[in-house]
Each structure stands twice: as C-alpha cells, then as structure tokens.
Amino acid sequence: MNKIIALFSAFTAASSFVLADEGPLKPQIVFNNVDIFNGTENKLYKDHYVLVEGNLIKSISSSAISVRDDALVINGKGKTLTPGFIENHAHLMLMGPNLPAMEADKTWEDFAIHGSRMAEMYLMQGFTTVRDAGGANGGLRRAIDGGDIIGPRFYPSGAFLSTRGGHADFANFSAPVGAETNFGRLNLSQEVDSVAEVKKYGRNNFRMGATQLKYMQSGGVVSAFDPWQLLAGSPEEIAAAVEVANSYGSYVMAHSYRKEAILSALESGVMSIEHGFAFDCDIAKVMNKKGAYITTNLTAFDPGLLDIPAVKNVPSSLAKAKSATETFRNYIPNMKKCPVKRGFQTDCVGSVDACNIQIAYEKHLNHEFFGAFQSMVTLTSIGGEISQLSGDFTNPYPEGKLGVIEVGAYADILLLDGNPLEDFSVVGTGTKWFDAEPRPASPETIRLIMKDGVIYKNTLNP
C-alpha cells in the first residue's frame, strides 16, 4: 500500500509539474485609438483597441483592453490599422536584366542575394505575405522564417513547369532538346513534355519546398520562343499537375492568357488563373462555380507598355504586345461587369529599385481601375484566401488566417497615416512607372509594419 501511495504521489507531483510548466507568457502588444479596416468590409471601425498576444490577434474591442504590466502599449493616434498587404504573383529570385543573361551569367549566389534583398524590400513596402509565382524554392522561406534574413511570409512555387518552346523555356537559342540549363540545375524552371515529366518535376517542386505548382499554359510577350496565343501542354498534362498538387493537399496556378487556355485550365482543376487577360463573363461563371481565383498585373493595360525597352526594341515582342493589347482591351470592363475574386499581382522581374517602383505603380493602377475598397480587399483578404489554398499540411502558416483583422488571425498589421478608403495614396502608391524617381525604402505613410507579432518599422512618436 505504501508503495502504491508513493507511486500515486510521484505521479500527481509530476502531473502538477507538467501543468505548471506551460512555458513563458507570450508577449502582449496592444494598439489603442486606432481605426480598423478589417480586410473585408467597406468601412472603418473607429477608435478601437487591438491586442496581439504572441503572433496572433487575441482581442478586438471598442473599449480598453486589460493587459499585463509588461505589455507594450502603442498609441495609434487615430491611424488606420489594416491587415498586412499580400502579393500573389512575384518573382523574388529573378533579377534580370533579361532571361538570356540569367541563364548564361548568373550563379546561385546572384539569385540568393537578389532574393534576400527583394524579400526585405517587399516587407518594408507593407507586404507581410508574398506568393512567388516561379523561380524560388523553399530555401528563401527557411531563411526568413528562421530569422536569418528579413522578409514576408513566403509561398514559393519551385520551378516553373513548361513545355519545350513554352513560356518557361529559358534555354539558350542553340540549346538542343534535353540539354542541361542553368535554370534547370537550380530548379528555377523545368521543361516538361509528358504526363510523366509533369508528375516527376511537380513532385520534385514539393520536395524542394514549394507550397503550390505553377504551370505555364500560355505564351508571353517578352519571352523568346512562344507566341502569347500558345496553348502549351495538353489537358492531360495540366490535369497531371493538378493531380500531383492535390496529392499534397495543394493546388495549381496557371499562366493563362487566351480564353480557351483559361477555360481549359479551370476544367482541369486549376484554382488560380495568372494574368487571365482574355477574361470575360463566360469565364467568370466557371470561376465562381469552381471557387477559383485570378491575379492580373494591371501594368499590362498601361499605355506605356509599348515603350518598355524589352518590348520596344525587340520587333517580335513589339508585334506580340500590339496584338495582345488589342485582344485583351476588354478585361477591365468585363471584370467590373462580372467580378470574380482577384488577387494583387505585380509580376516584376528586375532590380530591387525597379520592382519597388513597379509595386507602387501597380497599387496606383488598382485604385484607378477598381476604386479604393476593391483595391484594399484585393491587397488583403482575397490574398489571404489564395494563400489558404495550399491546404492543411502544405501551408507553412496554418495557425491563423491571413489578410484580415480578426480574433485568431495572424498579427500581420500595418498602421497607415490616413484612411485608405478615402485617400488610397496612404498605402504607398506611385503615379509613374519607367520614368519614376527611385522610391524610399518604405513609404512614409506606412507608419508601422508588424509581421507575425514582430514590429519591423515604427515611426509613431513615443
């Protein structure tokens, strides 16, 4: 009996120890006197309080929130508190100046250094989450999440998947079929010309840290071998990519221009249409039925597109751009008439300074074409929904929602120096593109940047 009592006492003591040892208290940060844009509603919640505990939003209230004595209290002074912005189509590793140069002259060090600088630039522009649309594997995310470099939450796609002569065939002009390429060695882009190859390289992308797959279904404008009208990849090959992604609980994003390409991709199970310039109301019906998304770089509709050196100085690209501009001119009226869920896309390939300018201009164009509220939703909650498509076990950030200010959401937060629903410029817009002056490392109107409960910028007066 004494032995039993002794064992019971030891068990209860151990149990008490486990219960008492719940770890250190999570840091608390409370924002007082802020107006909240929650990412979904066309309004601000005036004079509110938001409590962050650890890396999640713990409480939101119209009255003061009780916190511990060691909590950090931030007086928002009537600033607008919004979700961190979300970029749904970036290429953080691709520094340019063009595809042949990256294929012939760049090493893994060049790509890595550029990617780390791009990651910091995006975060300081207010983007707390970025989905990379091809060219980045899991290493950049590991470096960010491990605290080795500064950057946003990162959803990479691994290598672009494309057929021979497709939009991700970056090999030199004289390269024979099957030749090893720089992009292939680094798993930035892979040529796939059969169902078997789609499956092999799709699975390899997930092995290398991808959170979704990117399939290049259409051609492009500035690329060398592909007309934009191209329908690359058979329905069976696209379906194979979807099959692989689904087996990882994830999805496929498809670079699709033509109406036929978009509808074929949707029929095959693609959940995110990239660019989608031929969008119309027929496509909208299918997208809404399937719950699919679209991201479009609105710079494609800018009058200055034909003056881009990479377009203007290359006769084949100029001809492609002119025909594409004419064909895709109804995108904006069609999107207004038959709206679908559209995510923010910049699609910049080039220097950090050039992409900084292009991001600000893309924000500006969103407002010019679709107004303040729709632009804010595009920058926040819709991007969060797209991120969640990566599923329960492939999503690297499964603990909370993204793109919203809600209890239980990730503490990815901005404080803006004004109301973006009335003055959209406070999000950090720029009204010029190629002739613009270099932009600051971070917009002055973004007064505070928090990602995952950590403050990376705070210019509010103490």
Side-chain angles (χ1 to χ4, degrees), residues 152-233:
R153 300 182 191 275
F154 194 58
Y155 287 82
S157 300
F160 301 93
L161 301 179
S162 172
T163 60
R164 175 74 171 180
H167 191 54
D169 180 354
F170 301 146
N172 292 325
F173 179 77
S174 59
V177 174
E180 186 179 44
T181 66
N182 190 35
F183 274 88
R185 283 190 297 271
L186 299 174
N187 202 53
L188 303 181
S189 181
Q190 298 291 357
E191 181 182 318
V192 291
D193 289 306
S194 67
V195 166
E197 288 187 340
V198 170
K199 290 184 176 181
K200 177 174 68 174
Y201 287 109
R203 290 166 180 153
N204 187 61
N205 274 344
F206 283 112
R207 183 179 184 274
M208 298 294 289
T211 53
Q212 64 282 324
L213 298 181
K214 169 73 174 298
Y215 193 91
M216 297 297 221
Q217 186 190 17
S218 293
V221 172
V222 298
S223 43
F225 311 119
D226 50 321
W228 65 260
Q229 298 93 336
L230 180 67
L231 292 176

Side-chain angles (χ1 to χ4, degrees), residues 299-357:
T299 48
F301 309 113
D302 183 82
L305 179 67
L306 300 181
D307 293 325
I308 299 173
V311 173
K312 183 178 180 180
N313 298 334
V314 181
S316 61
S317 292
L318 183 60
K320 288 199 289 183
K322 287 180 177 179
S323 65
T325 299
E326 177 60 26
T327 302
F328 304 152
R329 60 188 173 89
N330 290 322
Y331 172 95
I332 293 169
N334 285 339
M335 185 61 70
K336 291 179 177 179
K337 182 180 179 181
C338 304
V340 297
K341 290 189 173 183
R342 180 179 61 87
F344 183 89
Q345 180 193 143
T346 303
D347 193 31
C348 183
V349 173
S351 71
V352 175
D353 289 342
C355 289
N356 190 344
I357 291 169

Side-chain angles (χ1 to χ4, degrees), residues 85 121-127 356 359-360 363 415-417 425-429 439-449 457 459:
F85 301 145
M121 182 273 289
Y122 257 107
L123 181 60
M124 300 314 293
Q125 293 300 312
F127 289 87
N356 190 344
I359 290 166
K363 290 177 182 176
L415 282 184
L416 306 182
D417 209 5
S425 68
V426 298
V427 305
T429 60
R439 291 187 55 80
S442 186
E444 292 182 5
T445 52
I446 300 180
R447 303 296 297 276
L448 180 141
I449 299 172
K457 175 185 177 181
T459 62

